[in-house]
Amino acid sequence: MRFRADRDAFADAITWTARALPARPAVPVLAGMRLDIADAADTLHLSGFDYEVSARASVDVQVEEAGSVLVSGRLLAEIVRNLPPHPVELRVEGSRALLTCGSTRFTLLTLPLEDYPSLPPMPRTTGSAPADVFATAVRQVLPSTSRDDTLPMLTGVHLTFRGDTILLAATDRYRIAVREMWWKPEQADIDASALVPARTLGEFGRALAGGNVDIALSAVGDSAGEGMIGFEHAGKRTTTRLIDSDFIKYESRFPTDFAARAEVPVASLVDSVKRVALVADRSTPVRFSFSSSEVVLEAGSGEDAQAVEALDAKFEGEPMRIAFNPQYLLDGLTGVQSENALLSFVAPTKPAVITGVPSAEGERPDFRYLVMPLRVS
């Protein structure tokens, strides 16, 4: 194998593929990244796989000799991130891969290609969605996933495909984030769901830009890759096994009747929460006192450091005092895309719901965030 490539395009493809490589591979060969160039082709294909997640990327190159090689993926990614701004050349000689970029040269040992597992096939395409909208939706719900592996259901993002709508939902028991978005399905009457590992979905979401993302769900009319979902965008493709667990029935958790509502500028409230939370440790809530024209934020008490800040707000209902984990509240506010956020309350001890301000009365917001308040003495 021998080829030349643009340094930036090569580095981008390598870095993205390396994200799927396991930090502690079950067998040494899974730490490898496979590079393939087919005969009479001018495209380099890169792939990584750990039996759960696969990642594939393609980049145009100037081919002198086709072939395949397996090298340490994380080492290769670290090298290309630090190369000078010159074209990259890579050639394989026996058991070594020689990488040259300007006056910089690296020699990498190759791994046994025959021991590398075959990557799973991409399931049949189920539909496509605007890549930037899908990326935003992933960012909005991802903070609400849990890192507690003892409860697998909480470590995933639940995707519901119903007609021309996708619902993304995530929860860690203390909050629930739901985003509704449009997509173009291959089957107009589709009704399916998938619980996708949050880490994999987040990594792919960060790589999305313009254009469309193709979504392929094996559970829909395709027996290949059972229990798997795939995403493809701009030459980058990933597949992952689904989490085999039932997701909560979250719609019934959202209140429908509220005793009070507050409309507050998102940017101002985010800044205020961050400032007041400086005196709050991880177990200390930020307290909110809502009245007709303002909200007062407080943190700290007694002999501890204290902070108080007042902020203009439109409030409807009886005055209310309620407290939240500041980071949980910030995660919800940063998911709101409108200038103002609408905070809806049932009672100081009941879950609150954060949304954008609807453009029309009774309109269902596309992003909803339910968060549990904290009890304070």
Side-chain angles (χ1 to χ4, degrees):
M1 170 188 275
R2 184 167 184 168
F3 64 85
R4 288 173 61 86
D6 174 78
R7 182 257 189 197
D8 291 340
F10 184 64
D12 177 66
I14 291 285
T15 301
W16 186 83
T17 306
R19 291 173 180 168
L21 297 176
R24 292 181 292 276
V27 291
V29 73
L30 294 180
M33 184 182 299
R34 179 167 179 153
L35 286 68
D36 293 290
I37 298 176
D39 291 331
D42 57 2
T43 302
L44 170 68
H45 299 283
L46 308 125
S47 54
F49 184 41
D50 69 352
Y51 291 113
E52 295 291 331
V53 179
S54 76
R56 282 170 275 198
S58 301
V59 60
D60 292 335
V61 295
Q62 300 173 17
V63 180
E64 295 187 25
E65 184 179 352
S68 301
V69 67
L70 186 68
V71 297
S72 171
R74 293 189 181 277
L75 176 58
L76 181 60
E78 192 65 32
I79 288 171
V80 299
R81 276 197 294 267
N82 292 281
L83 290 176
H86 300 290
V88 178
E89 178 180 307
L90 188 143
R91 69 181 188 274
V92 179
E93 296 181 355
S95 62
R96 297 176 184 273
L98 309 177
L99 187 149
T100 304
C101 183
S103 61
T104 304
R105 292 176 175 81
F106 289 93
T107 301
L108 291 80
L109 293 177
T110 62
L111 300 170
L113 197 60
E114 62 276 9
D115 294 342
Y116 197 70
S118 298
L119 270 66
M122 184 79 165
R124 184 182 305 167
T125 300
T126 310
S128 62
D132 53 348
V133 177
F134 188 71
T136 298
V138 171
R139 286 196 298 270
Q140 287 173 304
V141 304
L142 208 63
S144 296
T145 57
S146 173
R147 293 170 178 79
D148 183 2
D149 291 331
T150 61
L151 291 170
M153 179 270 288
L154 303 180
T155 65
V157 175
H158 188 259
L159 274 61
T160 302
F161 306 92
R162 190 172 298 136
D164 62 358
T165 299
I166 303 178
L167 283 168
L168 296 87
T171 182
D172 61 2
R173 293 178 296 181
Y174 305 106
R175 62 259 180 86
I176 304 172
V178 180
R179 170 64 197 269
E180 183 175 333
M181 61 171 286
W182 174 89
W183 80 316
K184 184 179 179 180
E186 293 291 320
Q187 302 173 19
D189 60 346
I190 184 173
D191 189 354
S193 63
L195 188 54
V196 185
R199 178 180 177 274
T200 303
L201 189 62
E203 291 287 1
F204 186 77
R206 280 192 285 273
L208 297 177
N212 291 328
V213 54
D214 291 333
I215 303 173
L217 183 61
S218 64
V220 180
D222 190 357
S223 60
E226 185 177 356
M228 182 177 294
I229 195 169
F231 303 94
E232 186 169 6
H233 171 72
K236 296 181 175 70
R237 174 190 296 183
T238 190
T239 65
T240 182
R241 291 189 182 277
L242 301 177
I243 298 173
D244 186 15
S245 180
D246 292 329
F247 200 68
I248 66 168
K249 305 296 183 183
Y250 56 85
E251 285 294 350
S252 61
R253 309 292 178 96
F254 281 84
T256 55
D257 296 316
F258 298 98
R261 286 183 170 88
E263 184 179 329
V264 190
V266 174
S268 299
L269 184 55
V270 166
D271 290 343
S272 294
V273 172
K274 288 180 177 179
R275 280 192 292 267
V276 172
L278 292 173
V279 301
D281 59 35
R282 295 185 62 182
S283 60
T284 304
V286 171
R287 302 181 297 279
F288 297 79
S289 299
F290 289 92
S291 59
S292 60
S293 61
E294 70 174 9
V295 54
V296 177
L297 291 74
E298 302 173 80
S301 61
E303 298 180 358
D304 298 328
Q306 299 177 45
V308 179
E309 182 168 336
L311 185 67
D312 290 341
K314 297 178 183 178
F315 183 76
E316 297 177 359
E318 293 297 321
M320 178 177 292
R321 285 177 57 85
I322 193 168
F324 296 103
N325 175 305
Q327 188 56 55
Y328 288 1
L329 188 67
L330 288 172
D331 288 340
L333 291 171
T334 53
V336 174
Q337 294 184 283
S338 58
E339 183 177 347
N340 291 342
L342 184 65
L343 286 70
S344 302
F345 309 103
V346 176
T349 58
K350 299 291 186 180
V353 177
I354 299 173
T355 67
V357 177
S359 56
E361 184 69 27
E363 183 181 62
R364 181 185 175 98
D366 58 12
F367 173 70
R368 293 171 291 152
Y369 184 87
L370 180 146
V371 58
M372 292 293 298
L374 298 177
R375 294 182 182 273
V376 291
S377 56

